[in-house]
Amino acid sequence: MSVRWRHRKPEECGSQLLMSRLILTGCRILPKTFLSQSPRRVWTRFIPQTEFSHFCAILPRFHSFLRPSPMELKDVVKVLEDLAPLSLAEPWDNVGLLVEPSQPRPVQTVLLTNDLTEAVMEEARAQGCDLIVSYHPPLFRPIKRLVQKDWKQRLAVRAVEAGIAIFSPHTSWDSVSGGVNDWLIGGLGNGQVSVLNQAYVDFPYSHIVEFQCKNDILDALLEELEALDGLLVQDPVRIDAVKTQVGLYCSGSVLASVVDKVTRYVITSDKSLRILKAETPPRLGHGQGRLSVLDEPVTVATAVKKMKSHLGLRHLRLALGQGRTQESFVRTVAACAGSGASVLNGVQADLYITGEMSHHEVLDAVAKGTSVILSDHSNSERGYLSVFREKLAEKVPAHVVVMVSKADRDPLEVV
């Protein structure tokens, strides 16, 4: 095979001279020859005798370059969680690593799918996949047994037998900035995008305790407080030569203990002690659903055409809002991938875009003058797999193959 160099600094390959000579000579290396014959017999054809001793010294590093180190499952899972933190998922969801093989093996091939079906499992086995990333969790409800009667349990058993790991991101992909919902609403063009249901930081502290303490007893008090779990002490601020302002973040479970210790040191007549409810910080740009005020309004007919192209579909379902026609202009759009009625309900917009809504949910939207585009559930999500493939491929070594399933499809079609 021809030696192909990735963009690396010369020192990473051991020798700038060696790299130059290999490229200039266009040498061809046979792996079996390289492993079976001595370095002198194979390489003196390309490297002068005077440089051979230097080459032998760096040979192990060059060999490891040709044979990249494997990527373990835990390392790939970390990359997946970095791209879309599982803390962004809804509380009811079942996300993360769902199936972990008992015998660890390097991850060389990753298959992305919207749903893990029997057809997708056959594809994964045929491609020799080590990890399946299934957007929808194939294991969702608690399981008491693993039997062949249930198709989802049957797939889990087959994955275990084949040594294939399964990971599901689901609503963490929906919520994350640049995720499924941003991709979905981007189909209508640029606009000012905001989050419908804001996500918040997983903040473990429920209360803030503020008080003033005499400087000569401050160290003793802080030593007692820091022994408690579920407590974060802010940097004390010295007011003057006598007093210091102290702020504490604490969980509800430890609040009573904190107040008890503080009141032992702080004079009760001193009204400096305050207990406040801590506000959970928002995770800006993250959350469920999106609302876009389009830079350039489009007609309903144009919106349908754009979404067909964006989703790769020949047909969509359209419900016109009361008093609207296909020539009516759309300036505000609300979108939620999958089954989005619970997120879109009550949102003021000219158009809703989602996968599915019930009959009465559509009627409610139409009565308020909002038009609705439905694509069927997974068709509103599947196109994001190609976007995520590029993101993941940038974060893993070049030898790890990331592919999008060809067998994955929505179970419904227009006939």
Side-chain angles (χ1 to χ4, degrees):
M1 63 178 181
S2 298
V3 177
R4 298 178 60 190
W5 294 96
R6 294 189 295 172
H7 294 291
R8 288 195 173 193
K9 295 179 181 179
E11 56 268 24
E12 294 179 318
C13 299
S15 168
Q16 184 175 10
L17 176 62
L18 173 60
M19 181 172 12
S20 302
R21 286 194 175 278
L22 288 173
I23 294 174
L24 290 174
T25 58
C27 67
R28 306 179 68 84
I29 305 170
L30 296 176
K32 290 183 179 179
T33 304
F34 175 71
L35 293 173
S36 62
Q37 296 188 21
S38 68
R40 183 178 300 275
R41 289 187 59 188
V42 177
W43 294 99
T44 48
R45 292 183 297 164
F46 311 116
I47 302 175
Q49 183 70 26
T50 55
E51 298 171 9
F52 185 73
S53 60
H54 175 64
F55 168 70
C56 288
I58 66 168
L59 181 59
R61 294 175 63 185
F62 178 67
H63 190 197
S64 63
F65 169 73
L66 290 177
R67 290 177 169 233
S69 59
M71 191 171 194
E72 301 298 328
L73 175 61
K74 61 181 178 63
D75 299 322
V76 182
V77 168
K78 185 180 184 305
V79 170
L80 291 169
E81 293 181 358
D82 287 343
L83 289 172
L86 300 182
S87 58
L88 290 172
E90 294 297 294
W92 48 262
D93 207 356
N94 188 35
V95 295
L97 187 62
L98 304 184
V99 174
E100 181 179 8
S102 61
Q103 296 298 324
R105 71 183 192 189
V107 175
Q108 301 182 62
T109 306
V110 181
L111 182 69
L112 307 181
T113 184
N114 203 82
D115 295 289
L116 180 54
T117 61
E118 297 201 48
V120 173
M121 178 58 75
E122 286 295 331
E123 179 185 19
R125 289 167 64 97
Q127 295 291 339
C129 292
D130 309 293
L131 171 63
I132 297 174
V133 177
S134 176
Y135 169 76
H136 287 131
L139 300 176
F140 188 75
R141 294 180 177 84
I143 295 175
K144 293 185 177 181
R145 57 179 58 86
L146 288 173
V147 296
Q148 294 298 305
K149 292 181 180 179
D150 183 278
W151 70 273
K152 289 186 177 180
Q153 295 175 27
R154 188 162 61 243
L155 289 177
V157 172
R158 293 184 65 188
V160 170
E161 291 174 341
I164 300 174
I166 301 175
F167 180 95
S168 177
H170 202 201
T171 52
S172 66
W173 277 13
D174 296 342
S175 182
V176 71
S177 178
V180 176
N181 281 312
D182 282 307
W183 164 81
L184 180 62
I185 205 164
L188 284 187
N190 296 328
Q192 184 177 349
V193 178
S194 57
V195 176
L196 291 178
N197 289 354
Q198 180 67 57
Y200 291 87
V201 174
D202 188 13
F203 198 58
Y205 309 108
S206 59
H207 293 82
I208 302 173
V209 178
E210 295 180 342
F211 60 92
Q212 292 179 5
C213 180
K214 291 183 178 180
N215 295 337
D216 57 351
I217 61 173
L218 177 61
D219 290 342
L221 174 57
L222 291 180
E223 184 176 350
E224 285 197 26
L225 290 173
E226 290 174 350
L228 298 173
D229 293 328
L231 183 69
L232 175 64
V233 181
Q234 295 178 297
D235 290 335
V237 178
R238 178 160 293 195
I239 299 173
D240 51 37
V242 178
K243 291 183 178 180
T244 294
Q245 180 72 27
V246 181
L248 309 172
Y249 284 101
C250 64
S251 62
S253 61
V254 78
L255 178 61
S257 298
V258 169
V259 174
D260 178 61
K261 290 183 181 298
V262 170
T263 52
R264 290 182 188 179
Y265 286 82
V266 178
I267 301 174
T268 53
S269 60
D270 184 353
K271 298 181 180 179
S272 66
L273 177 63
R274 296 197 306 163
I275 302 175
L276 308 171
K277 190 74 174 176
E279 294 291 334
T280 304
R283 302 180 77 156
L284 299 180
H286 305 290
Q288 298 298 324
R290 296 293 185 269
L291 177 69
S292 178
V293 181
L294 297 176
D295 293 342
E296 297 182 7
V298 297
T299 64
V300 173
T302 301
V304 171
K305 183 178 180 180
K306 281 177 171 284
M307 291 311 298
K308 283 182 178 179
S309 175
H310 188 59
L311 301 176
L313 300 174
R314 295 177 58 188
H315 304 283
L316 292 171
R317 289 189 290 168
L318 170 67
L320 286 169
Q322 187 172 324
R324 303 293 193 267
T325 69
Q326 291 202 31
E327 298 308 312
S328 298
F329 277 94
V330 172
R331 180 168 181 79
T332 54
V333 186
C336 182
S339 183
S342 61
V343 175
L344 300 176
N345 183 37
V347 176
Q348 297 295 318
D350 299 322
L351 177 65
Y352 288 169
I353 299 175
T354 187
E356 59 181 343
M357 294 173 67
S358 73
H359 174 72
H360 293 286
E361 289 164 344
V362 173
L363 289 179
D364 288 342
V366 167
K368 297 174 184 177
T370 300
S371 300
V372 178
I373 290 179
L374 301 179
S375 64
D376 287 331
H377 191 111
S378 67
N379 287 332
S380 65
E381 306 156 339
R382 183 169 289 102
Y384 180 71
L385 294 175
S386 296
V387 177
F388 189 80
R389 193 203 76 81
E390 297 299 323
K391 293 185 177 184
L392 181 57
E394 290 180 358
K395 299 294 185 179
V396 298
H399 67 272
V400 177
V401 177
V402 183
M403 62 177 63
V404 176
S405 172
K406 296 180 180 178
D408 179 43
R409 55 184 290 276
D410 196 284
L412 292 169
E413 59 180 305
V414 178
V415 296

